[in-house]
Amino acid sequence: MLSYASTSGSYYNASLDESTVAGFERRGGEFFVNPEAGMRAIVFVNETLGRVIVAFRGTDLGQSEPSHSCDSCADMVLWDGIDYHELPQFCTERFNETQLDYLSGAVALFRRVAQAFPTAEIMLTGHSLGAGLAALVAALAQSEGNRAEFSDLENRGVSAVVFSSPGLSEVLRSRLNITAPLDSSKIAILADIYDPIFVSSVCPKFKLQGAKICAWQSTEPPACKKCFQHFPINNTVAGCEECMESRHIYAHYLHDLVPEERP
């Protein structure tokens, strides 16, 4: 929740600027990534236990600008594989290539954390876009024989527990050159079984082999039933926007699912 509410954008709440996770110290400086537009993340540290949590923020679905538009453009680059120079004009006119490369930003933050806390257990987390970034970085930390740009990232045994990640396999293959199944004890994806982003991610083309998938069972909303009649899922299709609002937004996980029995 803090990755949304205490970073710039549509969900920002100034009263949470100093809030932290129970038992953890919230770090600032190079460990608080909060540009007006771009990848955002917060780092929490418990030095006594030797544990670090890195929380990546998900897509800004609100109306705050430039946050909303930057996230939308970054989603196209990361999940749709669209080259920067082929993006819609509103993306390239407002944001540079580095701003929209959220994955490189996430990897860079992880490297800073790993170097600053060389013996710590590191857990990555996030929702939606943030979930995808956390899972990709964890996969990268597990893998061997990556491309030269990632070759200095050591296997730290990093874990990721994420909520409703987009499909990852295409990004792993095309961007990170990772094709081997992952260690299911290190990456867990939690989702509502009718979350449209989750439904898309478990299609054979996108499923992350090796990740442990834990799904909350629920009743299929009528809007989702309409939405799922068309693939790939698109918010312009009848029911999809309503389905996203009822099953994908983080408030649904925070208030409706997490307090209940875990899947």
Side-chain angles (χ1 to χ4, degrees):
M1 185 270 288
L2 289 175
S3 66
Y4 282 104
S6 61
T7 57
S8 60
S10 299
Y11 317 107
Y12 174 66
N13 182 342
S15 68
L16 298 175
D17 280 352
E18 304 300 324
S19 297
T20 189
V21 176
F24 285 75
E25 176 190 354
R26 176 171 164 171
R27 291 299 175 97
E30 64 176 342
F31 301 115
F32 180 42
V33 183
N34 187 33
E36 185 180 24
M39 191 278 294
R40 299 174 180 85
I42 308 177
V43 176
F44 304 93
V45 179
N46 184 318
E47 294 198 37
T48 302
L49 297 178
R51 293 179 180 171
V52 177
I53 299 172
V54 182
F56 295 98
R57 203 194 76 172
T59 301
D60 187 340
L61 297 176
Q63 301 300 313
S64 177
E65 293 295 351
S67 175
H68 167 72
S69 293
C70 191
D71 284 358
S72 297
C73 296
D75 279 334
M76 289 185 241
V77 171
L78 185 56
W79 308 122
D80 299 331
I82 299 176
D83 183 85
Y84 175 80
H85 301 288
E86 296 176 356
L87 288 169
Q89 189 174 359
F90 82 90
C91 293
T92 55
E93 285 184 344
R94 301 179 65 185
F95 311 110
N96 62 48
E97 195 166 358
T98 300
Q99 280 180 294
L100 299 184
D101 186 1
Y102 282 24
L103 179 56
S104 289
V107 171
L109 174 61
F110 171 74
R111 285 182 174 141
R112 293 198 297 273
V113 170
Q115 290 170 1
F117 307 97
T119 62
E121 174 187 341
I122 302 174
M123 188 185 79
L124 310 172
T125 190
H127 165 258
S128 191
L129 165 62
L133 292 172
L136 287 168
V137 173
L140 183 60
Q142 281 187 28
S143 68
E144 297 178 351
N146 293 314
R147 294 180 179 178
E149 62 180 310
F150 298 117
S151 62
D152 63 326
L153 187 56
E154 296 179 356
N155 184 343
R156 291 288 308 275
V158 177
S159 64
V161 178
V162 304
F163 296 86
S164 188
S165 169
L168 302 168
S169 293
E170 290 297 306
V171 181
L172 286 170
R173 283 193 291 267
S174 63
R175 180 75 185 272
L176 303 180
N177 197 29
I178 298 173
T179 57
L182 304 173
D183 181 351
S184 62
S185 69
K186 298 295 184 181
I187 300 179
I189 299 173
L190 289 78
D192 183 312
I193 196 170
Y194 293 115
D195 182 328
I197 299 300
F198 172 72
V199 170
S200 295
S201 75
V202 296
C203 290
K205 181 179 178 183
F206 300 108
K207 186 174 181 180
L208 178 61
Q209 293 190 357
K212 184 174 182 61
I213 295 179
C214 305
W216 280 277
Q217 303 298 315
S218 61
T219 302
E220 184 178 23
C224 294
K225 188 172 184 178
K226 289 181 181 179
C227 177
F228 298 157
Q229 292 175 3
H230 305 273
F231 276 83
I233 290 172
N234 188 319
N235 272 354
T236 63
V237 172
C240 286
E241 185 173 354
E242 183 180 344
C243 182
M244 284 281 288
E245 291 176 355
S246 67
R247 286 294 190 263
H248 179 65
I249 62 171
Y250 188 63
H252 170 57
Y253 287 89
L254 181 65
H255 300 302
D256 301 335
L257 299 183
V258 172
E260 302 297 326
E261 184 176 351
R262 304 297 166 85

